[in-house]
Amino acid sequence: MKATIVTIGDEILIGQIVDTNSAFIAKTLDKVGVEIHEILSISDSREHILATFKKLQNQVDLVIITGGLGPTKDDVTKKTFCDYFEDVLVVDEKVLAHVTELIEGFYKRPISQINKDQALVPSKCTVLPNTVGTAPGMWMKKENTVFVSLPGVPYEMKYLVENEILPKVIKEYQRPFILHKTVLTYGQGESLVAERIEAWENNLPDFIKLAYLPNPGRVRLRLSARGTDEAFLMKGIEDNVISLTKIIGDIIVGYDDSETLEFVVGQLLAKYKKTIATAESCTGGGLAALLTSIPGSSAYFQGSVVSYAKAAKIDVLHVSEETIRDYSVVSGQVAEEMALGIQKIMHTDYAIGVTGNAGPSKDDTEAEIGAVFIALATPNGVTSEEFNFGQPREKVIDRAINKALEMIQKEILKN
Amino acid sequence: MKATIVTIGDEILIGQIVDTNSAFIAKTLDKVGVEIHEILSISDSREHILATFKKLQNQVDLVIITGGLGPTKDDVTKKTFCDYFEDVLVVDEKVLAHVTELIEGFYKRPISQINKDQALVPSKCTVLPNTVGTAPGMWMKKENTVFVSLPGVPYEMKYLVENEILPKVIKEYQRPFILHKTVLTYGQGESLVAERIEAWENNLPDFIKLAYLPNPGRVRLRLSARGTDEAFLMKGIEDNVISLTKIIGDIIVGYDDSETLEFVVGQLLAKYKKTIATAESCTGGGLAALLTSIPGSSAYFQGSVVSYAKAAKIDVLHVSEETIRDYSVVSGQVAEEMALGIQKIMHTDYAIGVTGNAGPSKDDTEAEIGAVFIALATPNGVTSEEFNFGQPREKVIDRAINKALEMIQKEILKN
């Protein structure tokens, strides 16, 4: 079955917000074998919405629409939805009771007309109850296409996709199996990886498709298989991942999507019962934030000191004033003393120290913009490496964080 | 003039990556008066790309395509681009020289055939030189529509949009003025804000469009005006923002897009020459990372301690063991001692202490999932507030960070 995702909102078309809803919907549906044909962002205008609905009618089995269901005047989706189906809006008593309970019971406010209007739905639609917000989802079929309208608030949308749409799709549609396996590599560029695996790639069976997803410093390779025999597809992917690993095992750091580097590092630390702490300057706590984004990270992450100011490096991390004077704050020596300092303070097995100049200006440091020193302290001592991550600021921070994670991972795997 | 943005890549349609390129392109073009008609994500298939090009031909003035220009086999955009224009690929000597310099000169590797192929471009296209990567941009016109193909790597795409596309668009097209002003409010929900400003909204002139952008805990109101008389549009927007401020000035925290709360807080700290530090538990350094994402933040941000482990709270922040025993680690008392501790360590005017349980499990704390205490230390003492930010984990962390920023902002504005 095929689906198209439509996000409605001028804020997307003027670049004010990044559309993250579509990726969530696409990923969730892909897992149960729904092929996403297109993702489309359109304006809040009635004409644009109607023209889009007409174009998608019978082109795909399912159209998932997000946005434009809020209580305010700029939200036109619901009325347009109703027009398209030549239907009228009626009050849904269950939704009204839920909205009333939420506003009067939870928020302790008198309910207003604007709140009450959230309970208006097209008379012929199947209401998808939204227990985490006020605007319900709406499911309506015309000829061969089901149109589903969802609120644009991410956690309300997620709730409805997982609890309402997914069960209905699984129950009501025949779907093939779509399997993916992603191999995460680092340290070599896309062209180099492509050269190394050329013969392997040429030998891939027709039902497996390979995609390269390059990022600064890393390349993900995604194998996708689609078909009706799940066991056959799974074996095909597994066999080819094994043969791929034989060729580029030296640069593979993990498998599968959920296995981001912070997840992989977390798993390793948990497995070996090791702890870690970070002392961060130019990355500003970003490394700590990434490590703690993993549920269960409190088992291995002890803490961090973000020492932006020179005084913080000296007073808290006990970096020596002499070292700073002799080598400057952006130096391997300072990174190493930062790592040793935080390792001692937090009583950890491993520790990272990062100092650098992320730009945009050189400020009070001598260091070039983009220059970053990363030190790794282990139970056996400390080492540091120098990098230049170029520009702009966000790229420098991002690459420094990734590189630090790689250094930790390599170190743990040594043992 | 109208433009449509097309992002090519199966990784978008299966939800493996979030398309952030489109928002950047949309925002950049919107600023110079280009109306973005649609944003479209399609698959890597030749047929899908050709069908999309045909559909967009003469429907818009400009089609900006990203993705599919890499050196590997799954990248089909360039060949399809060439087919659509009935052209042939030829070597561009300047691009070849640049790629050679980059690979042999900068990366110190022998150049391969895959690298050399990056210099192949359709013979009739205008090459947009990519000084920050290997794949060039390509600009080609057919009848009334210009098609531009860009690499998908974000910083390469950004470089080409800013340095090549923008100047060409400004030179070659007549465009109206599009102005936006966004008013950032916090503390009241969308419906409540809508009720308060209803009369004002009804009186808006026809050339101004209002949009509500709700987020957890805050609503942004965007006024947009489009027309040929820039001064007239600007005055219209300014007058209406002034009248809006008279109605809901109590909940307005800032204006304009770039004025995220971390930016607003940073500006205030810089203006009053005040400094800040953070002590973070459940937010894991996220507050520090956000504060330091602002260029120039080293003027006011001194540092942070992320004290995930109890020992770190005691040893580094000097939270007393008694307080933890009597009130538990997730308590207002501990948040306050964390704030006072980091204020002292980092010698700052203000300090934030955050402790809470972001979930998903209760772990070793007594606190409910979602419970967060935020303390603010000032030169005059310390106070704390209790919140329940619900679930899931990322929402709790996100809301705690936003709330902390609001508390800082409110405090500074008091003085």
Side-chain angles (χ1 to χ4, degrees):
Chain A
M1 74 176 284
K2 280 190 181 189
T4 281
I5 299 168
V6 179
T7 58
I8 298 176
D10 291 346
E11 62 275 20
I12 298 170
L13 294 180
I14 67 169
Q16 192 166 28
I17 66 160
V18 171
D19 166 28
T20 55
N21 284 351
S22 295
F24 176 84
I25 298 170
K27 191 174 200 163
T28 309
L29 292 180
D30 175 81
K31 275 190 191 136
V32 297
V34 180
E35 181 187 338
I36 305 299
H37 178 63
E38 287 184 350
I39 297 172
L40 191 59
S41 299
I42 63 172
S43 71
D44 287 317
S45 97
R46 187 176 175 280
E47 293 67 38
H48 202 164
I49 298 173
L50 283 178
T52 303
F53 284 7
K54 274 181 200 143
K55 198 178 62 186
L56 297 175
Q57 182 67 55
N58 303 331
Q59 192 199 69
V60 290
D61 306 292
L62 179 66
V63 177
I64 299 200
I65 304 135
T66 69
L69 283 191
T72 58
K73 300 190 178 181
D74 65 314
D75 291 334
V76 297
T77 306
K78 192 155 69 177
K79 288 186 206 82
T80 310
F81 204 67
C82 208
D83 290 351
Y84 184 68
F85 288 96
E86 295 169 1
D87 199 356
V88 290
L89 290 172
V90 295
V91 171
D92 182 289
E93 292 301 334
K94 278 191 189 161
V95 174
L96 184 60
H98 166 67
V99 172
T100 308
E101 166 59 24
L102 204 65
I103 302 288
E104 298 191 338
F106 188 77
Y107 290 118
K108 314 276 182 207
R109 278 206 318 262
I111 191 162
S112 69
Q113 192 55 46
I114 290 178
N115 298 136
K116 284 181 186 162
D117 288 350
Q118 299 249 279
L120 289 170
V121 297
S123 73
K124 289 176 264 178
C125 86
T126 303
V127 170
L128 309 178
N130 175 3
T131 61
V132 296
T134 50
M138 295 171 282
W139 174 288
M140 270 182 117
K141 189 163 183 175
K142 186 169 187 171
E143 297 163 22
N144 298 321
T145 305
V146 166
F147 291 78
V148 187
S149 173
L150 300 177
V153 178
Y155 65 88
E156 297 184 21
M157 175 282 302
K158 282 184 188 176
Y159 171 83
L160 287 168
V161 168
E162 286 174 342
N163 295 282
E164 295 291 335
I165 295 177
L166 208 54
K168 280 177 90 74
V169 164
I170 290 169
K171 197 174 149 204
E172 297 178 17
Y173 291 91
Q174 286 252 323
R175 295 145 288 113
F177 292 100
I178 305 179
L179 301 182
H180 305 286
K181 183 114 185 171
T182 301
V183 177
L184 181 66
T185 75
Y186 78 90
Q188 290 180 353
E190 192 179 7
S191 326
L192 212 61
V193 174
E195 280 173 51
R196 291 183 63 187
I197 66 174
E198 192 176 2
W200 171 86
E201 187 174 348
N202 289 337
N203 277 326
L204 278 175
D206 283 343
F207 66 92
I208 296 184
K209 204 175 160 187
L210 177 75
Y212 290 76
L213 310 170
N215 277 111
R218 68 192 42 192
V219 177
R220 287 178 297 164
L221 299 167
R222 188 189 65 238
L223 289 80
S224 304
R226 185 189 303 262
T228 49
D229 183 345
E230 190 179 15
F232 173 79
L233 299 176
M234 201 176 280
K235 185 166 183 331
I237 287 207
E238 275 173 15
D239 288 350
N240 280 288
V241 167
I242 291 170
S243 54
L244 178 65
T245 305
K246 284 184 187 151
I247 306 166
I248 53 166
D250 56 315
I251 55 168
I252 293 176
V253 295
Y255 299 91
D256 259 337
D257 237 29
S258 55
E259 298 195 12
T260 57
L261 199 50
E262 57 272 22
F263 180 83
V264 171
V265 165
Q267 293 291 94
L268 283 171
L269 289 165
K271 181 179 165 191
Y272 293 110
K273 296 201 192 329
K274 299 291 181 192
T275 55
I276 194 159
T278 68
E280 306 182 44
S281 182
C282 64
T283 51
L287 179 55
L290 209 58
L291 283 166
T292 59
S293 70
I294 306 297
S297 49
S298 55
Y300 49 82
F301 180 77
Q302 295 299 298
S304 173
V305 166
V306 182
S307 55
Y308 235 52
K310 193 171 97 177
K313 291 187 182 74
I314 297 167
D315 298 348
V316 187
L317 292 170
H318 310 298
V319 174
S320 92
E321 286 196 66
E322 243 175 13
T323 308
I324 293 176
R325 196 187 54 221
D326 294 351
Y327 299 97
S328 98
V329 292
V330 179
S331 63
Q333 286 79 2
V334 167
E336 291 183 11
E337 290 191 19
M338 288 169 68
L340 290 170
I342 193 75
Q343 185 188 34
K344 197 170 166 197
I345 292 169
M346 299 283 178
H347 311 289
T348 57
D349 301 302
Y350 299 108
I352 286 284
V354 192
T355 179
N357 182 2
S361 67
K362 290 186 77 177
D363 285 335
D364 54 347
T365 129
E366 293 288 298
E368 286 305 314
I369 293 169
V372 176
F373 292 84
I374 307 178
L376 173 66
T378 72
N380 307 315
V382 66
T383 52
S384 64
E385 286 186 57
E386 179 177 1
F387 304 95
N388 192 309
F389 295 133
Q391 290 192 42
R393 186 177 176 85
E394 64 264 36
K395 184 179 142 199
V396 175
I397 295 174
D398 202 42
R399 293 195 64 179
I401 290 171
N402 274 317
K403 183 53 77 177
L405 287 173
E406 284 174 19
M407 288 168 65
I408 304 165
Q409 196 223 17
K410 263 194 185 170
E411 177 62 34
I412 305 175
L413 286 180
K414 261 197 218 161
N415 304 316
Chain B
M1 73 177 283
K2 281 191 180 190
T4 282
I5 299 167
V6 179
T7 57
I8 298 176
D10 291 347
E11 62 275 19
I12 299 170
L13 295 180
I14 68 168
Q16 190 165 28
I17 66 160
V18 171
D19 167 29
T20 55
N21 284 352
S22 295
F24 176 84
I25 298 170
K27 191 172 200 164
T28 308
L29 292 180
D30 176 81
K31 275 190 191 138
V32 296
V34 180
E35 181 188 339
I36 305 299
H37 178 62
E38 289 184 349
I39 297 171
L40 190 60
S41 299
I42 63 172
S43 71
D44 287 317
S45 97
R46 187 176 176 280
E47 293 67 35
H48 202 163
I49 298 172
L50 283 177
T52 304
F53 284 7
K54 273 181 200 144
K55 197 179 64 188
L56 298 175
Q57 182 67 55
N58 302 333
Q59 191 197 72
V60 291
D61 305 293
L62 179 65
V63 177
I64 299 199
I65 303 135
T66 69
L69 283 191
T72 57
K73 300 190 176 179
D74 65 315
D75 291 332
V76 297
T77 306
K78 193 156 66 178
K79 289 187 206 81
T80 310
F81 204 69
C82 208
D83 290 351
Y84 184 69
F85 286 96
E86 295 168 359
D87 200 356
V88 289
L89 290 172
V90 294
V91 172
D92 182 290
E93 291 301 335
K94 276 189 190 163
V95 175
L96 184 60
H98 166 66
V99 171
T100 308
E101 167 58 24
L102 204 65
I103 302 287
E104 298 190 336
F106 189 75
Y107 291 119
K108 313 278 183 208
R109 278 205 319 260
I111 192 163
S112 69
Q113 191 55 46
I114 290 179
N115 297 136
K116 284 182 187 163
D117 287 350
Q118 298 250 279
L120 288 171
V121 297
S123 74
K124 288 177 263 176
C125 87
T126 303
V127 170
L128 309 178
N130 175 3
T131 61
V132 297
T134 49
M138 294 171 284
W139 175 288
M140 266 180 120
K141 189 163 184 175
K142 187 170 188 170
E143 297 162 22
N144 297 322
T145 304
V146 166
F147 292 78
V148 186
S149 173
L150 300 176
V153 177
Y155 66 87
E156 297 183 22
M157 175 281 301
K158 283 185 187 175
Y159 171 82
L160 287 168
V161 169
E162 286 173 342
N163 296 283
E164 296 289 336
I165 295 177
L166 209 54
K168 278 177 91 75
V169 164
I170 290 170
K171 197 173 150 203
E172 298 178 17
Y173 291 91
Q174 285 253 323
R175 294 145 289 112
F177 292 98
I178 305 179
L179 301 181
H180 305 286
K181 182 113 185 170
T182 302
V183 177
L184 182 66
T185 76
Y186 78 90
Q188 290 181 352
E190 192 180 7
S191 327
L192 212 60
V193 174
E195 279 173 52
R196 292 184 64 186
I197 66 174
E198 192 177 1
W200 171 86
E201 186 174 350
N202 290 335
N203 278 325
L204 279 175
D206 284 344
F207 67 91
I208 295 183
K209 203 174 161 188
L210 177 75
Y212 290 76
L213 310 170
N215 277 113
R218 68 191 44 191
V219 177
R220 287 179 296 166
L221 299 167
R222 188 190 62 237
L223 289 80
S224 304
R226 183 191 305 263
T228 48
D229 184 344
E230 189 179 18
F232 174 79
L233 299 176
M234 203 176 276
K235 183 161 185 337
I237 287 206
E238 274 173 13
D239 287 349
N240 280 288
V241 167
I242 290 169
S243 54
L244 178 66
T245 305
K246 284 184 186 152
I247 306 167
I248 53 165
D250 56 316
I251 55 167
I252 292 175
V253 295
Y255 300 90
D256 258 336
D257 235 32
S258 55
E259 297 195 12
T260 56
L261 200 48
E262 59 273 20
F263 180 82
V264 171
V265 165
Q267 293 292 96
L268 284 171
L269 289 164
K271 181 179 164 190
Y272 293 110
K273 297 203 190 331
K274 299 290 180 191
T275 54
I276 194 158
T278 68
E280 306 181 45
S281 183
C282 64
T283 49
L287 179 55
L290 209 58
L291 283 166
T292 59
S293 71
I294 305 297
S297 48
S298 55
Y300 49 84
F301 180 77
Q302 295 299 298
S304 174
V305 166
V306 183
S307 56
Y308 235 52
K310 193 171 95 179
K313 291 187 182 73
I314 297 167
D315 298 349
V316 186
L317 292 171
H318 310 298
V319 174
S320 92
E321 285 196 69
E322 245 175 11
T323 308
I324 293 177
R325 197 186 55 221
D326 294 351
Y327 298 96
S328 96
V329 292
V330 179
S331 64
Q333 286 79 2
V334 167
E336 290 183 11
E337 289 191 19
M338 287 169 68
L340 290 171
I342 193 76
Q343 185 188 33
K344 197 171 166 195
I345 292 169
M346 300 284 179
H347 311 287
T348 58
D349 301 300
Y350 299 107
I352 286 283
V354 192
T355 179
N357 183 2
S361 67
K362 290 186 75 175
D363 285 337
D364 54 348
T365 131
E366 293 288 300
E368 286 304 315
I369 293 168
V372 176
F373 292 84
I374 306 179
L376 173 66
T378 73
N380 307 315
V382 65
T383 52
S384 64
E385 285 186 59
E386 179 177 2
F387 304 93
N388 192 310
F389 294 134
Q391 293 193 42
R393 185 177 177 85
E394 63 265 36
K395 185 178 142 198
V396 175
I397 294 175
D398 202 42
R399 293 194 65 179
I401 290 170
N402 275 316
K403 184 53 77 176
L405 287 172
E406 283 175 20
M407 287 168 66
I408 304 165
Q409 196 223 15
K410 265 194 184 171
E411 177 62 33
I412 305 174
L413 286 179
K414 263 197 217 161
N415 303 317

